[in-house]
Amino acid sequence: MVVDGDGGRSGGLIALAWTAVRFAIVGLANTAVGFGVIMALQFGLRAPPHLANAGGYAVGFILSFTLNRRFTFADRGRLGPAAARFAIAALAAFGLNQLVLSLATGRVGHGGAAPVMAQAVAAISYTLCLFALCRLWVFDPRSLARGAAHLQNARQHKPG
C-alpha cells in the first residue's frame, strides 16, 4: 500500500478506488455486450433461449477477463494461469451469489419487491467477491504494485 508523507494511506486508497471504478466500468460493458449477444442470438438468429444465454455468458466471460486483465488491473503476467484463476474466481463468486440468494430469499420472502431485493443483494455479493479475488489472487500483484507506485510518483512530481 502506498503511504503519503504524513503517514496516511490516501495514495493506496485512491489507487484502490480507481481500480474499483475501472472494475465497475468493465462490469457495465460486460453486461451490455453479454445481453446484446443474448438478444442477437435469441431474436436475430432464433437460437433457443438457453443456448443464447450460454453464448452471451461465454462472450461476457471472455470480455470480462480481457478487460479486467488489461484495463482494470494492468496485469502483464502469464495469460494461462491468470485465465484459470479467473475462471475459478468467477465460479466461486457465482457460488457465493447462489448462497446469498438462497439466504436472502428465505429472509425476505417471495412476494412484492422481495425477489428483486434478494437478487440485488446476491449480485452485490458476486461483484464484491469477484473484485476481491481478482485484486488479491487472479491478477499479478506485482502489476498492481507498479500501478500504485506510478500513481504515487505522479503525485510527487506534479507541477504546482
Side-chain angles (χ1 to χ4, degrees), residues 10-156:
S10 64
L13 292 176
I14 291 169
L16 177 61
W18 279 115
T19 301
V21 167
R22 289 190 304 271
F23 188 80
I25 291 168
V26 168
L28 291 172
N30 175 46
T31 299
V33 170
F35 189 72
V37 168
I38 291 168
M39 294 296 103
L41 290 173
Q42 185 169 343
F43 297 108
L45 298 178
R46 304 282 186 233
H50 288 87
L51 180 62
N53 186 272
Y57 272 85
V59 169
F61 178 85
I62 293 166
L63 180 66
S64 179
F65 171 73
T66 302
L67 291 178
N68 277 311
R69 181 170 184 255
R70 294 296 186 181
F71 174 67
T72 305
F73 296 100
D75 179 67
R76 300 293 184 246
R78 293 179 47 222
L79 178 65
R85 289 189 302 267
F86 186 79
I88 292 166
L91 285 171
F94 181 71
L96 177 64
N97 170 279
Q98 293 296 294
L99 174 64
V100 169
L101 181 60
S102 294
L103 294 172
T105 301
R107 288 264 190 206
V108 297
H110 294 61
V116 175
M117 290 176 15
Q119 288 285 2
V121 171
I124 290 168
S125 73
Y126 174 91
T127 301
L128 293 175
C129 179
L130 185 60
F131 177 75
L133 289 172
C134 284
R135 185 173 181 276
L136 299 172
W137 179 61
V138 171
F139 297 110
D140 183 0
R142 294 170 299 198
S143 296
L144 298 173
R146 285 192 297 272
H150 177 72
L151 177 66
Q152 181 67 20
N153 223 5
R155 286 180 57 204
Q156 289 176 347

